[in-house]
Amino acid sequence: MTETADELSAPLGQTETRRRRRIRLPFTGWQALAVLLGLFLVIFAGFALFHDDPLGGEPMARIAINNGAKATDTKPGAAKPEGKSEPQGTAPAGQESNSGAKTVTIIDGSSGARHEVAIGSGATDGSDSSTAAPATAMIGVDPRLLEKSRYGMIPVSADGLKPFTAYAADADRAKAAKMPVVAIVIGGLGVGAAKTADAIMKLPPAVTLAFTPYGSDPGKLAERARAQRHEILLQIPMEPYDYPDNDPGPQTLLATLAPDQNVDRLYWHLSRLQGYVGLANFMGARFVATDSAMQPIMAEAAKRGLAFFDDGAAPRSVANALATGQAMPFAKGDVAIDAVPTSVEIENALAKLESLAKDRGVAIGTASALPVSIERIGTWIKGLDRKGILLVPLTTAMLKSKSN
């Protein structure tokens, strides 16, 4: 039996226990746990950053929606005339969601301010609109003066009654016939609930309020204005010279469209709210100066018993001549009160309005619902009585101008 050197050198009667070699890892167990935890946190952070889930962490429920058949318009003459082409798509002012709501950028024609607003109802692309404006009338609106279109209810004359006379605000017209009068039109309302509410509540009822067809629910704001006895107008977005760089919004009336396409777009705007005495241009310097484009719109407005108000911003506007040819109520703005929205310039514009009223008997000012404008106009109105000038709704000013 062969013995090794180690065995020969070991003490007699004892054997050396051979040590087992231990495997050494490059890290400890705690270090491994820390590495795994770090990897988990990195993966979780990456998922949170790069996974687009706006409802992450929120409880969700899934439901089935059964789409019913599309509603069809059975009233003769109310639907889009057969054989006429669909209106062209709107300018890419926003993006449409799956629910049909559309977010658009609206440019205030007076101040140039931009507003992002959601349009919650009505078709904007000329498609059949079974989800268009509701077919129910607003409070205080005569159902006899409504006609169903494919977009919703729109105004119409009936039984000798016209929206212009039915919805005109109360005024002492006998007194107005004997003294100088001024009318104030505050435009661009419906976009921005806060400024619209300020105009409704802080200005007297004789001030006329003009609403754009945009906003999440312009009909509700218009209804509130009428409840406070304000006379209201509907502003129709029309093409300016620098369109589409300066875009009034979806369904803008364009000088390049066929007449039936513009009339169809007009119907969309008319359905957005109710109870207005007439229409007004929203921007539109090019459109109101184009006779072939304006003529069908003015004829449609006259047929439906509506007035037309030209804000006076377009020197070459043909609206006055066309309104005269249609024998429809008309007025044009004389002074842009807050063209320069400072207290001093607003005071100067109001002084000019007073002078025009005394010289001609009637003067009409336009303004936006800027806080400085509402504050200065409200203060100025309180001093009109002692100056021998009467504040009247726009319809009263229109009637007086016609009689002069």
Side-chain angles (χ1 to χ4, degrees):
M1 177 177 174
T2 304
E3 296 181 351
T4 64
D6 289 340
E7 291 174 339
L8 291 175
S9 62
L12 186 65
Q14 297 183 16
T15 59
E16 183 180 52
T17 303
R18 180 173 293 178
R19 294 180 180 178
R20 295 183 179 180
R21 179 176 292 178
R22 298 176 62 184
I23 300 174
R24 293 182 176 273
L25 298 175
F27 48 80
T28 66
W30 286 108
Q31 290 174 329
L33 182 62
V35 169
L36 290 175
L37 181 61
L39 287 174
F40 175 79
L41 291 175
V42 168
I43 293 171
F44 179 81
F47 183 84
L49 287 172
F50 300 106
H51 181 70
D52 185 14
D53 183 9
L55 297 178
E58 296 292 334
M60 293 187 296
R62 298 182 182 274
I63 60 172
I65 299 177
N66 295 322
N67 292 324
K70 289 185 178 181
T72 57
D73 189 357
T74 58
K75 182 170 182 176
K80 182 171 178 277
E82 185 178 355
K84 295 187 178 181
S85 58
E86 296 287 350
Q88 296 179 2
T90 59
Q95 296 181 348
E96 194 163 348
S97 68
N98 293 334
S99 63
K102 188 178 182 70
T103 301
V104 297
T105 301
I106 305 302
I107 304 170
D108 190 313
S110 300
S111 65
R114 293 174 177 265
H115 307 276
E116 296 291 337
V117 299
I119 299 176
S121 63
T124 60
D125 58 357
S127 62
D128 184 18
S129 180
S130 58
T131 59
T136 56
M138 287 166 40
I139 296 174
V141 173
D142 192 332
R144 295 174 299 170
L145 299 179
L146 293 175
E147 175 181 83
K148 187 179 180 183
S149 76
R150 71 194 189 103
Y151 298 115
M153 306 304 287
I154 61 177
V156 66
S157 294
D159 302 325
L161 188 62
K162 298 180 179 181
F164 175 79
T165 53
Y167 306 132
D170 293 334
D172 188 343
R173 291 180 181 170
K175 185 177 180 181
K178 300 175 182 177
M179 59 189 300
V181 302
V182 294
I184 302 291
V185 178
I186 305 295
L189 302 180
V191 177
K195 73 172 186 177
T196 300
D198 281 348
I200 292 171
M201 303 306 297
K202 294 182 179 180
L203 295 173
V207 173
T208 299
L209 305 181
F211 287 79
T212 69
Y214 305 127
S216 58
D217 196 348
K220 286 293 183 184
L221 293 170
E223 189 173 68
R224 184 178 177 186
R226 295 191 68 246
Q228 294 297 319
R229 296 181 292 120
H230 288 282
E231 194 170 81
I232 66 172
L233 295 170
L234 173 63
Q235 289 182 288
I236 305 297
M238 297 178 177
E239 181 183 3
Y241 280 111
D242 52 353
Y243 179 88
D245 293 333
N246 196 8
D247 188 356
Q251 298 289 55
T252 291
L253 305 191
L254 303 176
T256 54
L257 290 181
D260 61 303
Q261 291 177 302
N262 276 326
V263 169
D264 189 74
R265 290 187 173 202
L266 176 67
Y267 285 0
W268 185 87
H269 296 300
L270 295 179
S271 71
R272 296 289 291 161
L273 53 111
Q274 300 157 6
Y276 41 89
V277 297
L279 309 181
N281 61 299
F282 180 63
M283 302 172 65
R286 180 183 181 189
F287 193 88
V288 299
T290 307
D291 188 275
S292 59
M294 274 291 285
Q295 198 281 329
I297 302 305
M298 297 294 282
E300 190 71 28
K303 181 179 73 174
R304 296 184 176 279
L306 299 170
F308 191 85
F309 176 67
D310 185 330
D311 66 8
R316 295 190 292 171
S317 173
V318 298
N320 192 0
L322 292 175
T324 301
Q326 295 287 341
M328 64 187 295
F330 174 84
K332 183 177 181 179
D334 297 306
V335 178
I337 296 170
D338 55 0
V340 180
T342 64
S343 296
V344 172
E345 292 301 324
I346 289 173
E347 295 285 353
N348 292 338
L350 292 172
K352 181 179 179 181
L353 197 63
E354 291 178 25
S355 178
L356 285 174
K358 292 177 179 178
D359 290 344
R360 303 186 321 193
V362 181
I364 301 172
T366 61
S368 58
L370 296 171
V372 65
S373 304
I374 292 176
E375 190 272 327
R376 298 315 306 156
I377 291 171
T379 301
W380 173 77
I381 287 172
K382 293 175 182 177
L384 280 180
D385 283 344
R386 64 174 180 269
K387 298 176 182 178
I389 299 174
L390 181 65
L391 177 70
V392 298
L394 181 64
T395 53
T396 301
M398 285 179 167
L399 294 172
K400 179 167 182 174
S401 295
K402 186 177 181 180
S403 63
N404 284 351

